[in-house]
Amino acid sequence: MFRPALKQARVTRSAFSSVRFASTGSQSLKERMQQLIPKEIENVKAIRAEHGKKSFGPVTVDQLYGGMRGLPALIWDGSVLDPEEGIRFRNYTIPDIQRLLPTAPGGSEPLPEGLFWLLLTGEVPTPEQVKALSADWASRAEIPGFVQELIDRCPPTLHPMSQFSLAVTALNHDSAFAKAYANGISKKEYWGPVFEDCMDLIAKLPAIAGRIYQNVYGQKNLPPIDPTKDYSANLATLLGFGDNEGFVELLRLYVTIHSDHEGGNVSAHTGKLVGSALSDPFLSFAASLNGLAGPLHGLANQEVLVWLTKMQEKIGEDATDEAVKEYVWSTLKGGQVVPGYGHAVLRKTDPRYMAQREFALKHLPEDKLFKLVGQVYEIVPGVLLEAGKAKNPWPNVDAHSGVLLTHYGLNQMQFYTVLFGISRAFGVAAQLIWDRALGAPLERPKSYSSEIIKKMFTGKN
């Protein structure tokens, strides 16, 4: 049987026994940032002084017409995507962070709070620092009354992502950065109020998402935020699943692995671009959400689940491998793609997919839809290679996430991208803080018309 590329070997905790925490358990995230920023400013100055005039490689006309695919054009410090190895968060792989980041008492999945600390500082936080960050976000979680009313007045037929973007945009009303800028704050101090806005943004997303979910899907009233619980536990409670520890653990993993995927994807780049105009983090992230809502980006996991459920309806719950293979071929012959397979950068099985697969093997090994996902995992890459349809036939993160959410009862597929949006806020916010700390300029790349491209090469080989 054809098997996709083996997952990256796990690194044992003992291999990281020498990891040192540069900060103490009593130091806040903002205090640590105040220490790191001057050092990083000097680091960037040194890089530009030594390498600033060096070429980074040629730009081809195909890259201009092809969506700038692979064009080196951004600085993004939180994560880098390696085609063979997958995502690295500040040089830590997903298996690394699963082993090193603090977990909740009795839990085994990394807490997103720890991942945010890592994205900002490059350091693995202590459990005490993560607990303090959880409490800080809980204290900031309440959304203004007018934003609550704004969400409540949305018709339930308005897509949850549209409501989500609308509510995040409205938070701009209380932006610390917008007020500080209007009062003439020094450029060197921009990062401070941007940090406060980003902390408020992340903190308020669960309450916004919970209110949208309850309004659209007719659930019970929202409970209050529990200051003693972690971010994912409160999010699960606001969605109505707080009593299911398996779902809470899933959210911890989900938010962590979806948080950042370097800077070139639509949502990340949009947030950075809009932020470069000194739009506050609420406006910047709302723009990110509008990009994430597209079917070629954040809606992909919804398309995967639709395809899987249609397959299950047609060939049955316990279909043979041959039946699955025939269905895959029928999808391709019908002029459609197999959703969840292939990636713009990766050339192996997405480590985020593997993390979710391992979660499923641990928590829901007998789930019928998960078993179908497993069959697809074994069959699709071989079919795609045979059909010549993909340079990378391996599954990406979207091939698995919807099945896990469905297992625990969150089967409203239109809401899935909202959860993706909550996750992506971590990476976008971390980069916005650093962009303002380092004085990143307004983004303004040069564009060309097709006519100019033709004239540029007229008479040249």
Side-chain angles (χ1 to χ4, degrees):
M1 181 179 292
F2 187 93
R3 292 184 179 276
L6 293 176
K7 62 174 181 172
Q8 181 178 356
R10 288 255 182 163
V11 182
T12 62
R13 184 180 291 272
S14 62
F16 288 91
S17 59
S18 62
V19 170
R20 294 182 180 275
F21 302 119
S23 50
T24 65
S26 60
Q27 190 176 39
S28 74
L29 181 55
K30 192 170 187 179
E31 290 170 340
R32 184 59 185 147
M33 287 294 294
Q34 287 173 326
Q35 292 178 340
L36 291 174
I37 287 171
K39 298 176 183 178
E40 187 60 21
I41 289 174
E42 293 305 313
N43 181 48
V44 171
K45 286 181 180 178
I47 292 172
R48 296 190 67 174
E50 183 174 357
H51 306 293
K53 304 302 181 183
K54 296 177 182 177
S55 174
F56 214 70
V59 177
T60 67
V61 173
D62 277 344
Q63 284 178 307
L64 299 185
Y65 281 103
M68 299 188 290
R69 184 64 55 87
L71 182 68
L74 298 171
I75 293 295
W76 192 271
D77 290 311
S79 64
V80 174
L81 180 59
D82 184 271
E84 299 299 330
E85 191 176 61
I87 194 68
R88 278 184 170 271
F89 302 107
R90 291 285 187 170
N91 209 34
Y92 291 97
T93 65
I94 285 178
D96 293 342
I97 64 172
Q98 286 183 290
R99 291 184 174 276
L100 289 172
L101 290 184
T103 61
S108 60
E109 298 299 340
L111 292 172
E113 291 91 326
L115 194 280
F116 186 65
W117 189 292
L118 178 66
L119 288 175
L120 268 182
T121 68
E123 302 163 351
V124 176
T126 64
E128 292 78 15
Q129 288 168 330
V130 165
K131 185 175 181 180
L133 190 51
S134 295
D136 191 354
W137 283 346
S139 72
R140 300 168 182 256
E142 185 176 359
I143 55 178
F146 81 93
V147 177
Q148 296 179 31
E149 183 179 354
L150 187 65
I151 298 170
D152 292 345
R153 290 179 67 85
C154 288
T157 52
L158 183 63
H159 196 288
M161 279 297 281
S162 300
Q163 298 188 43
F164 198 34
S165 173
L166 184 66
V168 170
T169 299
L171 292 177
N172 151 268
H173 180 272
D174 297 326
S175 168
F177 175 73
K179 290 180 173 61
Y181 186 84
N183 291 329
I185 187 174
S186 166
K187 290 182 178 180
K188 293 181 179 180
E189 303 300 324
Y190 281 174
W191 80 271
V194 167
F195 178 92
E196 296 300 327
D197 279 353
C198 286
M199 291 285 280
D200 284 343
L201 169 68
I202 293 173
K204 297 179 189 304
L205 295 182
I208 292 174
R211 198 169 197 91
I212 293 170
Y213 184 80
Q214 305 298 359
N215 285 352
V216 173
Y217 301 110
Q219 306 295 320
K220 57 189 177 182
N221 293 329
L222 273 74
I225 292 286
D226 187 339
T228 67
K229 291 184 176 180
D230 63 88
Y231 187 82
S232 302
N234 272 313
L235 174 58
T237 299
L238 289 165
L239 296 176
F241 298 88
D243 294 333
N244 190 323
E245 187 56 35
F247 184 82
V248 175
E249 277 283 272
L250 172 61
L251 279 188
R252 290 167 181 152
L253 174 65
Y254 182 100
V255 175
T256 296
I257 66 175
H258 284 80
S259 62
D260 204 34
H261 213 234
E262 70 173 28
N265 64 76
V266 171
S267 56
H269 184 201
T270 301
K272 182 179 176 68
L273 172 65
V274 176
S276 78
L278 298 186
S279 297
D280 65 65
F282 304 108
L283 297 179
S284 301
F285 185 62
S288 294
L289 289 174
N290 291 336
L292 190 66
L296 295 184
H297 194 11
L299 287 187
N301 62 352
Q302 178 178 326
E303 294 189 338
V304 170
L305 193 57
V306 169
W307 182 73
L308 288 171
T309 52
K310 286 182 177 179
M311 184 198 304
Q312 197 175 61
E313 290 171 2
K314 184 174 180 62
I315 66 178
E317 287 189 339
D318 299 299
T320 65
D321 288 350
E322 188 59 34
V324 173
K325 188 173 183 179
E326 288 180 7
Y327 190 88
V328 173
W329 273 113
S330 70
T331 298
L332 296 176
K333 291 175 181 177
Q336 299 174 305
V337 299
V338 177
Y341 280 75
H343 192 275
V345 178
L346 277 170
R347 293 298 175 261
K348 63 169 284 182
T349 298
D350 192 333
R352 299 173 299 172
Y353 175 95
M354 292 307 305
Q356 292 179 104
R357 178 171 172 78
E358 290 172 6
F359 182 95
L361 288 170
K362 178 180 178 181
H363 294 280
L364 48 134
E366 300 304 317
D367 183 276
K368 296 289 187 181
L369 202 53
F370 167 60
K371 287 186 174 183
L372 178 59
V373 168
Q375 284 180 287
V376 170
Y377 174 62
E378 298 284 356
I379 292 167
V380 164
V383 172
L384 292 179
L385 286 176
E386 184 180 344
K389 292 292 186 180
K391 294 180 180 179
N392 167 30
W394 317 119
N396 59 52
V397 66
D398 299 313
H400 214 307
S401 54
V403 171
L404 297 177
L405 295 168
T406 298
H407 172 81
Y408 288 106
L410 203 162
N411 53 17
Q412 295 89 358
M413 290 183 287
Q414 284 196 323
F415 193 79
Y416 291 173
T417 315
V418 173
L419 295 180
F420 196 163
I422 293 173
S423 310
R424 190 46 54 91
F426 286 59
V428 172
Q431 190 61 44
L432 284 173
I433 293 168
W434 272 114
D435 279 354
R436 300 293 77 78
L438 299 177
L442 175 71
E443 284 190 21
R444 180 58 172 88
K446 173 63 178 171
S447 62
Y448 294 88
S449 68
S450 295
E451 189 63 29
I452 290 295
I453 291 290
K454 288 191 293 184
K455 288 181 179 180
M456 194 181 299
F457 294 97
T458 298
K460 299 179 181 179
N461 293 330

